[in-house]
Structure formats: structure tokens, C-alpha cells
Amino acid sequence: MAATSTPQQRTVGELGEAGILELLRDSYRGWTTAPGVIGPGDDAAVIPAPGGKFVIATDAMNEGHHFLRSWPSGVTDTGYSTGWKLAAQNLSDMSAMGAVPSAVSISLAMPKTTPVSWVAHFGRGIANACRWLGAPQTVISGGDLTRAETIATSITATANLVDQPILRTAAEDVTGYQLIHTGNVGLAAAGFAVASHPEPRHLYHAEIRALRGFLRPRPPLSQGPKVVGKVSAMMDVSDSILTDADRLAAANGLHAHIDPDWTSRKAAKFAEIAQRYEADANHWVLTGGEDYGLLAVLDPALEIPAGWDVIGYLTTEPQQRPEVTGWDHF
């Protein structure tokens, strides 16, 4: 008699495309419909754009490059964290434009041997990220499935503007303007160090918190729309404070000075973890990415928005930088 797999052992090859789609629909249940929406089931989705314009962005994550199912430390991802992070990073881009997310569409490529349970958890991670990160109005509008040698996934999000979009390039001269930041910084870098440790070890509370920050980042989605009309330019921090502050400054023909006292205060939160992993917490704060905070340019005559910190200013003077300032895909 041929052996049969248990539900926990079943693979997507056994389930087939129709079965996978039904599995994902179940994971997304309650997130595929809204007034005026035509969601999964047709060749394409229809999403309302009440203001006549919408914001759109795409992100991709590939196994072995952006995520692992099993980390050297022994930490495993059921698929939930991959789905959560995929949604979080894309929704953060919407917030950075001063927009409110309206829909996401997900593509998933994977081997036939991928466990069915991984796909189910992946779908739930996307749905729960929308719920718990503050984007409950988001519709999961559909996507695409295909076979590949390793898991690769991408997400496209749309969002509605609350007013004019906030761009990286300001409409005025912003020399001397403040750089302000909201969200976590250095937490994901600390979590990456924990996940990448070459052997399992007992984790303390601070390490578990950092690990969660790395695997399931929490971008401040509500903050972007709140500062529309107040800040002069803005972007999300995907690759690091140094890398992205320099990008924001360069878009305005300037350089970014980062306050060393701010860096030290933030780094102090990770002193215990950094000591245990023989790392430099200042390095995590300045060059660590994947926290998905927001970085904005503010006229120094204006009040600092609640929940934001001044981290430096824009200047005409070049700034000293380490050889590696943050994540680079290539």
C-alpha cells in the first residue's frame, strides 16, 4: 500500500493549483471584499480610487536572499513571518507617501515540495500584518501562483492619498532643515544577529524582542498620513538610517548630518545584546535596516510631530561615512 502524508506533511505538489488557491482564500478570509471591490476570481481586481489618483509600489522577497525558513540559530519560520514582513515593508512605502493602503496583490512561486502548512501560515501572516499594523481597510485583491526551484514572493500595494503625496524631493530649499524619524531603529539588526548566531542558545527577553522585530517588523503606518502638509519630504527607512538619510539629502542636493547623541541614546537600548554577540550597537542603529521607520524633513520653525525624534539636519557640508552604510541588494 502506498504511504499517504498527514495534513502536516502534505506538499503543494499534492494539493495542486486549485487546492493552493482555496487554501490561500481561507487564509485571507474576510480580507478579499469591500464596497466597490472586485477581488479574487476574475482575471484582474478592481479597486476604487476615491480621489481619482492612487499610490502603487511593489516589493519582492526571495528565499536565501531576503529570508530563510530555518536560521542558523535554530529559529524556524512557519511562513507566517515571511508573509508578515512582505506586507509590512510594502505598506510602509504607502505610509511614506502620506497615503492610506487600499489593496495588496501577492505573487508566490515555490517548489512542489513546499509544505502546505507553510503556505497557509504565509497567507495568515499577510492578513494579520494588515490587521495589527493598522491597515484594516486593506483588501487582499488576488495575485499569482507558479512553480520555482526556491520560494520567491512579491507584493503590490495600492493606497489612497489624503492630500498631495509627500516626495523625497522638497518643493523648497531645505538647507538647515531638521531630519526627524519615527519607528524602531536598530531593532531588526539586533534581531538578525540573534537569528544568525551559528548555534542555538537560551534567549533572554531583550533577544526575543529583537528577534520579533527582525522577523515581524512594526512600521508606524499611521504616522505618514498624519504629517501630510507638515513635513517637506519623506521616505521610509528600509536599508539603514545612514543609507536612507543620505538618499533623502541627495534628492535635495544636500548632505545628512546625524546627531551622535541621538545615536548613542538609541544604541544604549541594545547594549546588553551587543555585548553578548560581540557587536557594536551604534553600528546597528546607523547601518541596520528592515525596521521600516519613517524619515522626514521638517522646517525647524515648526513643532516636532508627536511620536517623532529629531535625529540630525540637512547641510551643504559632506559628512564622514563608514565604507558600508547599510544594506545593498547587489
Side-chain angles (χ1 to χ4, degrees):
M1 181 182 294
T4 58
S5 59
T6 65
Q8 290 78 17
Q9 296 172 327
R10 291 186 75 188
T11 66
V12 295
E14 297 173 74
L15 205 58
E17 184 173 351
I20 300 168
L21 287 172
E22 187 57 38
L23 177 76
L24 286 171
R25 288 192 189 103
D26 187 59
S27 294
Y28 301 152
R29 195 171 303 282
W31 291 87
T32 58
T33 59
V37 169
I38 299 175
D42 283 270
D43 290 330
V46 176
I47 306 296
K53 292 191 294 186
F54 64 93
V55 177
I56 186 169
T58 297
D59 280 300
M61 290 175 61
N62 297 325
E63 184 177 11
H65 185 66
H66 298 98
F67 70 92
L68 299 175
R69 283 184 269 178
S70 295
W71 289 86
S73 62
V75 171
T76 59
D77 172 25
T78 62
Y80 187 94
S81 292
T82 300
W84 177 291
K85 194 171 205 174
L86 180 70
Q89 66 183 27
N90 199 250
L91 295 175
S92 179
D93 287 333
M94 303 296 98
S95 177
M97 297 294 291
V100 177
S102 57
V104 293
S105 179
I106 301 101
S107 292
L108 180 60
M110 56 192 161
K112 292 177 67 174
T113 54
T114 304
V116 167
S117 61
W118 192 96
V119 178
H121 287 300
F122 169 80
R124 293 189 190 108
I126 292 171
N128 283 341
C130 293
R131 175 184 290 114
W132 297 114
L133 293 178
Q137 73 289 335
T138 306
V139 172
I140 301 176
S141 60
D144 185 45
L145 288 174
T146 190
R147 197 167 84 189
E149 296 303 313
T150 58
I151 297 177
T153 181
S154 66
I155 185 170
T156 297
T158 59
N160 296 315
L161 295 165
V162 300
D163 199 340
Q164 294 301 310
I166 308 177
L167 308 180
R168 295 186 186 186
T169 304
E172 71 271 23
D173 179 9
V174 290
T175 304
Y177 276 36
Q178 294 173 320
L179 283 171
I180 60 173
H181 174 271
T182 186
N184 294 314
V185 63
L187 187 64
F192 176 74
V194 175
S196 302
H197 192 266
E199 58 186 28
R201 64 196 307 180
H202 174 75
L203 299 181
Y204 296 99
H205 177 75
E207 292 165 285
I208 294 172
R209 178 176 176 271
L211 191 61
R212 286 175 177 163
F214 168 59
L215 294 174
R216 300 175 192 175
R218 303 187 72 88
L221 299 184
S222 66
Q223 288 291 344
K226 285 181 180 179
V227 297
V228 172
K230 299 176 183 178
V231 301
S232 299
M234 185 162 65
M235 65 180 293
D236 93 320
V237 183
S238 300
D239 297 329
S240 78
I241 285 290
L242 287 184
T243 295
D244 291 323
D246 284 346
R247 286 172 177 160
L248 189 57
N252 292 281
L254 296 166
H255 302 278
H257 172 81
I258 304 300
D259 181 1
D261 290 336
W262 172 82
T263 303
S264 297
R265 288 195 303 273
K266 292 297 182 181
K269 298 179 180 181
F270 307 114
E272 179 185 353
I273 308 177
Q275 183 176 15
R276 192 172 192 206
Y277 288 83
E278 299 180 346
D280 181 352
N282 287 276
H283 182 77
W284 286 343
V285 169
L286 291 174
T287 68
E290 299 195 335
D291 286 306
Y292 307 108
L294 294 177
L295 189 64
V297 176
L298 182 71
D299 185 334
L302 298 179
E303 183 178 355
I304 300 165
W308 293 70
D309 294 325
V310 176
I311 73 166
Y313 58 86
L314 296 179
T315 175
T316 57
E317 297 296 322
Q319 302 292 299
Q320 186 175 358
R321 294 288 186 256
E323 183 176 347
V324 177
T325 61
W327 171 256
D328 189 314
H329 290 280
F330 299 98

